[in-house]
Amino acid sequence: MALAHLPSGSLVPRASVLVRAALGRARRTTGLPVLFGGTAAPERTAVRLTEIAGARTDALRGLVIRGGSGLGGRVLVTSRPGSVDDYVADRRISHEYDAPVGAEGLRAVAAVPVVVAGSVAALLYGGVREPLPIGARTVAALEHAASRLAAELAVRAEVERRVAGVETAEITRAARDPRTGPDWERLREAHAELRAIAQEVTDPELRDRLRGVCDRLSGPTPGRAPAPALAPREVDVLALVAVGCGNAEVGRRLGLGAETVKSYLRGAMRKLGTHTRMETVVAARRAGLLP
């Protein structure tokens, strides 16, 4: 069990909540005194232990199982369950992380994979504090809990995928046609009313100030060169960058490779005469290319 520290976080219901529920079910069906587990990082090469039941210490919480190392690492790579009768004495696993396992007093440990879409999305563990074999029926019950968790995580992943798709569609639609929708209609109404008021104001200075506000509401400053035309995909990429997406997330949402995203960004920068991502977003907004 190779262990280290890793970050976490997610959508509804949170993966950690699903893992916690799975451990609760496994505890009832297996009778194992200690259960713990967690979900894999996006690249599926490490699993962070976030949920623990029956522990006496926090030694295992927040630790990471890395692929290929120890019992959990072997399960992560092979997608097959595994167990050891005496963790401390077993020579088939690495022992560089005996400290947290020993601190919890675990001796016999079983680990099962939670497989979603062909790869391990999480791991569930069960353990006892005596060097006793964990029977096949107990491992099978742990596998049953893992199978149900896999179905729940698959549903959650599909929900996230669809939500991200809707968000992406809204962002890119707004970027391609920013001057539509109820908010812009209200802005247009305010713009028209301000112009009408400006006509009735007798103070020249105040009238000029009102007209200046109207000009800023209606679009780019008069006299400024027309905004350069960006390709639709360049606008799509900038729209996602503007709401905080990194290149990898932009590519995932738009179905583009990392280099393609960078190419669209470079194209937008060249056309707008900018040098950084945020400078490009600001320039696009000032030019009326982004809402």
Side-chain angles (χ1 to χ4, degrees), residues 136-167:
R137 292 181 63 180
T138 300
V139 174
L142 198 57
E143 285 185 279
H144 181 74
S147 177
R148 178 169 170 180
L149 175 59
E152 292 170 342
L153 289 175
V155 170
R156 176 180 177 276
E158 177 63 14
V159 170
E160 286 188 320
R161 186 188 68 79
R162 294 191 181 191
V163 168
V166 170
E167 290 175 344

Side-chain angles (χ1 to χ4, degrees), residues 2-3 26 28-29 66 68 77 122 135 139 193 202 210 240 247 276:
L3 305 169
R28 291 191 294 272
T29 57
R66 298 198 179 279
V77 169
V139 174
E193 187 173 351
T202 57
L210 285 170
L240 291 171
N247 288 355
T276 68

Side-chain angles (χ1 to χ4, degrees), residues 100-142:
V101 176
E104 187 53 48
L106 296 179
R107 299 295 294 274
V109 180
V112 298
V114 179
V115 181
V116 177
S119 63
V120 178
L123 291 176
L124 296 184
Y125 286 84
V128 296
R129 297 185 175 90
E130 299 177 73
L132 300 172
I134 296 179
R137 292 181 63 180
T138 300
V139 174
L142 198 57

Side-chain angles (χ1 to χ4, degrees), residues 23-291:
L23 292 179
R25 292 192 294 267
R27 196 174 191 187
R28 291 191 294 272
T29 57
T30 65
L32 291 169
V34 183
L35 291 112
F36 50 100
T39 54
E43 66 277 10
R44 302 291 173 92
T45 59
V47 170
R48 182 175 185 265
L49 302 180
T50 58
E51 308 307 313
I52 303 176
R56 295 171 179 168
T57 72
D58 282 332
L60 298 174
R61 190 178 302 278
L63 299 174
V64 169
I65 301 97
R66 298 198 179 279
S69 298
L71 174 64
R74 188 172 64 203
V75 172
L76 184 58
V77 169
T78 64
S79 300
R80 300 176 65 179
S83 64
V84 292
D85 297 344
D86 189 346
Y87 184 92
V88 175
D90 200 297
R91 296 182 178 181
R92 298 170 299 167
I93 60 174
S94 57
H95 289 277
E96 61 268 43
Y97 297 102
D98 280 0
V101 176
E104 187 53 48
L106 296 179
R107 299 295 294 274
V109 180
V112 298
V114 179
V115 181
V116 177
S119 63
V120 178
L123 291 176
L124 296 184
Y125 286 84
V128 296
R129 297 185 175 90
E130 299 177 73
L132 300 172
I134 296 179
R137 292 181 63 180
T138 300
V139 174
L142 198 57
E143 285 185 279
H144 181 74
S147 177
R148 178 169 170 180
L149 175 59
E152 292 170 342
L153 289 175
V155 170
R156 176 180 177 276
E158 177 63 14
V159 170
E160 286 188 320
R161 186 188 68 79
R162 294 191 181 191
V163 168
V166 170
E167 290 175 344
T168 300
E170 284 299 307
I171 291 169
T172 56
R173 181 199 60 77
R176 290 189 182 194
D177 188 15
R179 295 173 180 266
T180 60
D183 289 341
W184 275 100
E185 285 303 316
R186 286 191 288 272
L187 186 146
R188 291 190 182 104
E189 291 169 4
H191 174 263
E193 187 173 351
L194 278 175
R195 283 201 172 277
I197 294 172
Q199 293 296 326
E200 300 171 3
V201 171
T202 57
D203 184 330
E205 184 177 349
L206 179 56
R207 184 168 58 245
D208 289 342
R209 287 178 61 190
L210 285 170
R211 286 174 175 170
V213 171
C214 291
D215 289 339
R216 290 198 299 274
L217 288 175
S218 62
T221 303
R224 179 179 293 176
L230 298 188
R233 267 309 195 211
E234 290 172 340
V235 177
D236 292 346
V237 167
L238 278 184
L240 291 171
V241 169
V243 295
C245 294
N247 288 355
E249 178 66 7
V250 172
R252 187 183 70 80
R253 290 189 173 216
L254 296 178
L256 302 174
E259 289 304 315
T260 304
V261 171
K262 291 178 183 177
S263 177
Y264 282 130
L265 272 175
R266 285 194 296 267
M269 288 177 181
R270 185 178 63 255
K271 293 174 182 177
L272 292 170
T274 56
H275 301 90
T276 68
R277 295 162 66 90
M278 286 315 300
E279 185 184 357
T280 306
V281 168
V282 170
R285 282 176 172 159
R286 286 176 176 169
L289 297 171
L290 289 178

